[in-house]
Amino acid sequence: MAKLLKTQITANPLTRFHQATKFGTKNKYGCKRTTQNSRFLSGAGSIRAVISSSEDKNVITTSSKVLQKNGLATSSPMIDVKAAITIRKKMKEKLTEKIEDHWEALINGIGKGIVIQLISEDLDPVTGSGKSVETSVRDWAPKRLEHSSYLEYVANFVVPSDFGYPGAILITNLHNKEFYLVEIVVHGFSDGPIFFSANSWVQSRNDNAQSRIVFRNQAYLPSQTPAGMRDLRREDLLSVRGNGKGERKHSDRIYDYAPYNDMGNPDKDDDLARPVLSGEGRPYPRRCRTGRPPTKSDPYSESRIEKPHPVYVPRDEAFEEIKQATFSAGRLKAVLHNLIPSLSATLSSSDNPFTCFSEIDKLYSDGVPVNCDQETKSIFDNLLLPMMMNKALSAGQKLFKYDIPAIISGDRFSWLRDNEFARQTLAGVNPVNIEALKEFPILSKLDPAVYGPPESLLTKELIEGQLGGMTIEEAIESKSLFMLDYHDMLLPFIKKMNSLPGRKAYASRSVFFKTETGLNPIAIELSLPPTPSSPNNRRVYIHKHDATTYWIWKLAKAHVCSNDAGVHQLVNHWLRTHACTEPYIIAAHRQLSSVHPIYKLLHPHMRYTLEINALARQSLINGGGIIEACFSPGKYSMELSSAAYKNMWRFDMEGLPADLIRRGMAEEDPSMPGGVKLVIEDYPYASDGLLIWSAIEEWVEAYVNHFYSDNHSISSDVELQAWWDEIKNKGHSDKRNEPWWPKLKTKEDLSGILTTMIWVASGQHAALNFGQYPFGGYMPNRPTLMRRLLPVEEDPDYDCFLRNPQLAFLSSIPTQLQATKVMAVQDTLSTHSPDEEYLGQIHLLHCHWINDTEILRLFQKFSTRLEEIEEIIKARNCDASLENRNGAGVPPYELLLPLSEPGVTGRGVPNSISI
């Protein structure tokens, strides 16, 4: 006979939850750590349902009439079971929505709103499916939980004692609109409350006739699926794959693939046409399919949806309300920072350069005045908080000041120094391109018939003249020479880039020499495409101390920084994290059931990525978008990104240790974190990153070993193999025939693949994203484009350069409007949302993510290790011997500190690519 749940109740739901889970206190970031459930938690107060013991009933024998009503014909003893259904409402509801809530409560009260069906893990011998019992929510007055946005409804079941253990719930929404289902907690079975975590939108039956399947929080490999759940497991996967046809609706939950064919808008303007990124010529990862019709001008390009209309993503991938508010605020800020300088500088007819450095400083000190003309007012009327903004505008205040970026907050002139230029290759926002110089002479791999002689002008004599008596061979052998090489990546695009108005760029190579005092640049080579009169169209620059060479050297460094900014944004940030991760997420939803242990492991690392990528395609990387307007490659930006994918990207090199070894920045050493020893010990990104990497690796290996007993269990896992096969053959189909794809036959194979994916979504993205404003918010430090080539003596403007080199420098970097645009975007992209979930944390809404005490213990170990890493990084930042992260005016390297508060902090490692 079933033993019924006995639960002590108190008046406060939050207190009840504390009794059930024994929570600890908040840390300074507002995050909670469990002491029993062994997980980080964050979020609002408790929303978990706990049923009063006074409502529990004893086991009873029920009449056949009641049994038939519940769909069961049995004479077995019966038990009363209760399901507590938690639904999240909007935090800020309109009056009409509040009225609708009352109407919905009425409909639920009469049992016409929500139908719930409990499915057993055991088979019904008559139907051949899981035993089932159905009821309706009949709750006139739902309980409002600790957080006012959450309501708890109760549904009652009567089930036979031989029903078995519930494995799934089917929920049908009879209302006219969707609702957000947080979870269902079933009470009355012998093993205590059973959790069915949903965190999903349930559509009205009018929009989707299928009932939503919600599984309990137990992980099963496909071969271990209880018999009563097998059909539901297959049906649930089929329901999210779609048929590859038709345009997707906002309410859909369909995951499918499409090429990057929605970047341009040829129907609007011929100049906004963009090539499709797909196939051998322009390969690229796949994005989430929206199914929009083709453009009228180009049948291969998909028509666009412009703001404010949303781009389709599967319904559960959309930003939640807190994230929406944060992103809207950031978008608002970007628009204002774009609009205000353009008005204040009267740029309707021309776009002015900065004429002195004090004009840049005023962005942080004085703010920007705004004249609220009719055009400005109409823009503000369409933005959030128009009353507040209009009030401020009418007061004539200098409203907007940029925060002082970290790079100049301690030392305003640090960006001028060579050692700072070099330091940022190791501890800046793009620390992933510097490589050891392994061979000499330096040779291009480009076709010499098209791009000129392969030999670099960085000759042995020139470089050895900067080595203090050391030969090149000795420097290479001692691993003292390093290079930032953008020559082959950029040279094929330079002619097209320089044909754009206001753009002048070179393909660059920079050589650095490591001495006892640190890393320093010793030579820069700037190349243009060959011409008939200049087949070797290159120049080399070195640092000298006369005034003219000093300014020329400064301009050469600015061109290198501009190239670095473009490669960072388009290749390392967008391509290697955002774009390449999207297929992993689509394949996971299509091929891994939500009860698959690998789906449960990956789920926190997929949050918000499809939505932020869709927004980027709409406003940032699209034809005429912010990236094209503000970065050197302009309209060729995504073609450059595609070329980098074709020539450089390979999955097996995306893990941190493999990447460091490939660049010659580390050597194999099994005794060290990540199994590698750094060539430059004071390499903050790598040394901190290897701590994060090794923690993820240890957690993933333990997780995999827990669920997979041997290698055969890997190769026989049909869902897992289908997932990996789809990533290669559909998600990255343009690379499907590459020999370097890892095999998936052993536990070690799986652990390596998962560690790489989680690292890219968490640590790698954090290191490349959240320093954008701290390093790029001061435009001279990282100009995103250059508008003039370096002055040479035969140029007519050379005398102007000699008379005023400062003006020549400022006239070469972005204009005031371009600078303020990109600063606003960088500020937005560097911002943590209040609902951010950081590595090693589980959000309160997901705290019942798995019913496995050993996994919870392993996760606690992972979480504790990340706490230790935080303290290690803080200690490193206080170590005076580590000059790349400590010293007068040097900002500490905090990009890989695991936790952060909201805002632009220059720290924090979120679980997923969410901004």
Side-chain angles (χ1 to χ4, degrees):
M1 186 173 292
K3 178 182 178 182
L4 296 182
L5 170 71
K6 300 287 185 180
T7 306
Q8 181 66 36
I9 187 171
T10 63
N12 189 316
L14 181 59
T15 306
R16 298 204 309 262
F17 188 47
H18 282 196
Q19 291 175 342
T21 57
K22 299 183 181 178
F23 276 94
T25 57
K26 288 186 178 181
N27 64 20
K28 68 177 180 178
Y29 302 108
C31 305
K32 295 178 180 178
R33 178 184 299 282
T34 63
T35 56
Q36 177 172 318
N37 286 349
S38 306
R39 283 158 290 175
F40 269 109
L41 299 177
S42 63
S46 167
I47 58 166
R48 300 303 173 192
V50 179
I51 303 298
S52 168
S53 60
S54 64
E55 295 175 331
D56 290 333
K57 306 293 189 249
N58 294 323
V59 177
I60 57 173
T61 302
T62 308
S63 69
S64 59
K65 184 179 295 186
V66 175
L67 298 179
Q68 292 168 4
K69 181 179 179 181
N70 282 277
L72 298 168
T74 178
S75 59
S76 301
M78 306 299 293
I79 59 174
D80 279 359
V81 172
K82 294 183 182 294
I85 303 158
T86 302
I87 291 173
R88 188 184 71 204
K89 311 298 292 185
K90 279 187 176 181
M91 290 183 290
K92 296 180 179 180
E93 290 188 310
K94 300 176 183 177
L95 178 60
T96 55
E97 291 172 327
K98 291 180 179 180
I99 295 172
E100 288 176 353
D101 288 346
H102 290 296
W103 173 250
E104 288 175 7
L106 175 64
I107 296 299
N108 288 332
I110 61 175
K112 299 297 184 181
I114 301 173
V115 176
I116 180 170
Q117 188 175 0
L118 199 61
I119 309 295
S120 172
E121 293 181 344
D122 296 344
L123 280 178
D124 185 324
V126 177
T127 64
S129 301
K131 296 178 182 178
S132 67
V133 59
E134 182 179 299
T135 191
S136 297
V137 169
R138 294 179 179 273
D139 196 339
W140 295 95
K143 187 183 302 180
R144 194 167 290 275
L145 300 179
E146 181 75 11
H147 193 292
S148 60
S149 299
Y150 295 90
L151 300 177
E152 178 189 292
Y153 288 93
V154 174
N156 298 295
F157 293 95
V158 179
V159 301
S161 58
D162 63 355
F163 180 78
Y165 207 71
I169 287 175
L170 272 60
I171 189 159
T172 305
N173 177 8
L174 303 180
H175 295 290
N176 291 324
K177 66 176 185 177
E178 65 182 3
F179 62 78
Y180 190 87
L181 176 65
V182 178
E183 72 173 5
I184 302 172
V185 186
V186 174
H187 301 266
F189 288 88
S190 59
D191 292 336
I194 306 168
F195 294 94
F196 296 78
S197 296
N199 295 299
S200 175
W201 290 97
V202 179
Q203 301 303 319
S204 166
R205 190 172 59 175
N206 299 332
D207 295 318
N208 188 341
Q210 293 180 322
S211 298
R212 174 61 56 81
I213 303 169
V214 182
F215 295 103
R216 77 180 181 96
N217 62 338
Q218 185 69 42
Y220 297 105
L221 296 177
S223 61
Q224 300 167 339
T225 311
M229 294 170 54
R230 289 173 188 162
D231 289 345
L232 292 179
R233 183 166 182 156
R234 286 191 295 268
E235 289 175 17
D236 192 47
L237 283 173
L238 289 172
S239 71
V240 299
R241 293 176 188 166
N243 59 9
K245 299 178 181 179
E247 183 173 354
R248 298 268 60 90
K249 304 190 301 292
H250 168 75
S251 60
D252 287 344
R253 199 170 60 106
I254 303 298
Y255 297 80
D256 203 355
Y257 302 95
Y260 274 69
N261 63 347
D262 63 340
M263 295 292 95
N265 193 351
D267 289 348
K268 184 176 181 180
D269 192 320
D270 289 343
D271 194 49
L272 292 178
R274 296 294 180 268
V276 175
L277 303 185
S278 175
E280 185 177 349
R282 294 189 180 95
Y284 217 62
R286 295 300 184 260
R287 62 174 175 91
C288 188
R289 180 184 178 275
T290 65
R292 297 192 301 267
T295 62
K296 298 175 182 178
S297 308
D298 178 5
Y300 299 103
S301 293
E302 187 173 273
S303 57
R304 287 184 54 78
I305 292 182
E306 304 295 350
K307 293 190 304 183
H309 304 291
V311 176
Y312 167 79
V313 293
R315 185 66 184 99
D316 291 339
E317 304 299 324
F319 288 163
E320 295 178 20
E321 195 171 355
I322 294 176
K323 180 72 171 181
Q324 287 176 346
T326 302
F327 190 83
S328 295
R331 179 177 58 84
L332 169 64
K333 191 173 182 181
V335 171
L336 296 180
H337 285 176
N338 176 4
L339 173 66
I340 294 169
S342 68
L343 292 175
S344 63
T346 319
L347 298 179
S348 58
S349 59
S350 64
D351 188 4
N352 298 330
F354 295 105
T355 58
C356 59
F357 286 99
S358 61
E359 288 184 343
I360 302 175
D361 295 339
K362 286 181 179 179
L363 295 173
Y364 317 110
S365 61
D366 295 351
V368 184
V370 178
N371 295 320
C372 189
D373 57 16
Q374 187 59 40
E375 180 183 2
T376 308
K377 185 177 184 303
S378 66
I379 294 173
F380 278 109
D381 287 342
N382 293 320
L383 295 174
L384 297 177
L385 309 176
M387 291 180 64
M388 182 186 76
M389 297 301 172
N390 285 331
K391 181 178 179 181
L393 287 169
S394 62
Q397 300 174 3
K398 294 183 177 180
L399 298 177
F400 300 103
K401 296 180 183 179
Y402 285 94
D403 293 331
I404 298 175
I407 194 60
I408 61 166
S409 62
D411 183 353
R412 179 182 170 188
F413 304 105
S414 63
W415 65 279
L416 291 167
R417 296 195 303 268
D418 281 359
N419 62 349
E420 178 62 21
F421 174 68
R423 189 190 74 85
Q424 289 185 34
T425 67
L426 301 170
V429 70
N430 188 42
V432 298
N433 281 109
I434 189 167
E435 56 186 311
L437 186 60
K438 303 173 188 176
E439 298 177 348
F440 201 85
I442 300 169
L443 299 174
S444 170
K445 296 179 181 179
L446 298 175
D447 183 355
V450 178
Y451 299 105
E455 295 83 10
S456 168
L457 291 187
L458 294 165
T459 63
K460 179 180 176 69
E461 294 75 21
L462 185 142
I463 291 179
E464 287 186 343
Q466 308 293 312
L467 300 184
M470 186 181 290
T471 67
I472 277 189
E473 290 77 15
E474 290 170 338
I476 291 176
E477 178 65 25
S478 64
K479 296 180 173 55
S480 299
L481 281 176
F482 299 87
M483 184 166 60
L484 204 58
D485 188 355
Y486 297 133
H487 178 276
D488 286 10
M489 186 190 301
L490 295 179
L491 191 58
F493 292 89
I494 292 297
K495 184 176 180 179
K496 293 191 289 187
M497 288 163 57
N498 288 349
S499 68
L500 299 172
R503 308 290 170 96
K504 296 299 175 187
Y506 299 92
S508 62
R509 286 190 182 103
S510 308
V511 178
F512 301 83
F513 181 47
K514 182 168 73 74
T515 68
E516 292 182 357
T517 59
L519 198 64
N520 277 291
I522 59 172
I524 294 173
E525 179 185 44
L526 299 180
S527 302
L528 294 171
T531 64
S533 60
S534 182
N536 200 0
N537 201 0
R538 307 169 187 173
R539 289 177 181 263
V540 172
Y541 302 89
I542 60 175
H543 185 112
K544 293 183 179 178
H545 296 288
D546 65 279
T548 300
T549 309
Y550 172 82
W551 275 101
I552 293 290
W553 174 251
K554 188 192 305 243
L555 282 164
K557 287 195 299 181
H559 273 277
V560 173
C561 289
S562 175
N563 287 345
D564 191 71
V567 172
H568 162 258
Q569 197 65 265
L570 294 166
V571 179
N572 298 325
H573 180 207
W574 169 256
L575 168 66
R576 294 176 62 188
T577 65
H578 285 260
C580 286
T581 294
E582 186 156 345
Y584 313 152
I585 297 171
I586 298 171
H589 284 281
R590 287 170 55 86
Q591 299 298 341
L592 298 177
S593 167
S594 61
V595 296
H596 196 291
I598 302 307
Y599 179 93
K600 289 183 176 292
L601 174 69
L602 290 176
H603 185 263
H605 307 290
M606 302 189 291
R607 184 176 186 239
Y608 289 158
T609 303
L610 297 191
E611 173 82 340
I612 197 62
N613 285 4
L615 289 167
R617 295 198 310 274
Q618 187 177 46
S619 304
L620 293 177
I621 62 172
N622 60 301
I626 294 293
I627 299 299
E628 287 193 359
C630 299
F631 286 78
S632 287
K635 66 187 292 185
Y636 306 105
S637 292
M638 289 302 288
E639 291 183 60
L640 172 63
S641 189
S642 171
Y645 179 69
K646 179 179 182 178
N647 298 322
M648 296 173 51
W649 187 85
R650 29 186 301 178
F651 181 90
D652 63 330
M653 293 289 121
E654 290 303 290
L656 179 57
D659 177 59
L660 292 170
I661 292 171
R662 170 174 61 173
R663 293 190 281 121
M665 300 302 292
E667 300 171 336
E668 291 189 32
D669 185 343
S671 68
M672 301 294 288
V676 297
K677 181 180 180 181
L678 294 176
V679 169
I680 299 178
E681 199 170 318
D682 188 11
Y683 185 179
Y685 156 76
S687 57
D688 292 359
L690 286 169
L691 294 176
I692 301 289
W693 168 274
S694 59
I696 295 170
E697 184 178 49
E698 182 181 359
W699 153 239
V700 169
E701 286 178 352
Y703 189 97
V704 168
N705 286 328
H706 178 74
F707 286 103
Y708 291 94
S709 57
D710 53 31
N711 292 335
H712 175 72
S713 61
I714 297 286
S715 58
S716 62
D717 186 335
V718 292
E719 289 183 5
L720 184 72
Q721 294 297 328
W723 167 72
W724 184 236
D725 181 76
E726 189 164 289
I727 285 171
K728 295 182 292 183
N729 292 304
K730 288 188 177 181
H732 285 274
S733 59
D734 296 334
K735 293 260 189 177
R736 61 185 177 275
N737 296 321
E738 297 287 354
W740 42 252
W741 282 105
K743 306 298 182 185
L744 184 50
K745 296 181 178 180
T746 69
K747 293 192 290 183
E748 291 74 22
D749 294 339
L750 178 58
S751 296
I753 289 167
L754 294 171
T755 301
T756 295
M757 289 180 176
I758 293 172
W759 158 253
V760 169
S762 58
Q764 181 77 311
H765 179 260
L768 294 169
N769 182 74
F770 293 104
Q772 290 191 72
Y773 187 79
F775 285 94
Y778 186 69
M779 186 56 66
N781 182 60
R782 284 181 67 78
T784 55
L785 60 82
M786 296 296 285
R787 299 188 298 125
R788 294 185 179 183
L789 297 176
L790 266 65
V792 293
E793 292 184 14
E794 54 268 27
D795 286 347
D797 291 337
Y798 189 73
D799 287 342
C800 296
F801 159 71
L802 293 178
R803 288 195 300 270
N804 194 340
Q806 175 180 283
L807 182 60
F809 180 91
L810 292 171
S811 297
S812 297
I813 66 173
T815 64
Q816 294 186 35
L817 180 57
Q818 289 169 331
T820 50
K821 270 186 179 181
V822 77
M823 288 165 67
V825 171
Q826 288 172 333
D827 179 78
T828 302
L829 297 181
S830 301
T831 300
H832 288 293
S833 171
D835 72 337
E836 197 78 89
E837 297 176 10
Y838 297 95
L839 197 62
Q841 291 183 339
I842 293 294
H843 193 279
L844 183 61
L845 295 183
H846 301 278
C847 70
H848 294 117
W849 67 289
I850 195 166
N851 181 31
D852 192 315
T853 55
E854 175 61 14
I855 290 299
L856 299 180
R857 185 190 69 79
L858 291 171
F859 187 82
Q860 171 64 27
K861 183 179 178 182
F862 174 53
S863 178
T864 301
R865 178 55 183 158
L866 288 167
E867 282 188 332
E868 295 169 354
I869 288 171
E870 180 136 354
E871 296 306 313
I872 292 171
I873 294 174
K874 289 177 180 177
R876 287 174 174 177
N877 285 330
C878 296
D879 186 344
S881 68
L882 300 176
E883 296 178 353
N884 288 325
R885 62 200 310 157
N886 187 283
V890 176
Y893 187 78
E894 297 183 327
L895 289 172
L896 288 170
L897 278 173
L899 293 178
S900 174
E901 58 275 7
V904 180
T905 64
R907 58 179 292 169
V909 181
N911 275 321
S912 62
I913 300 166
S914 59
I915 188 64

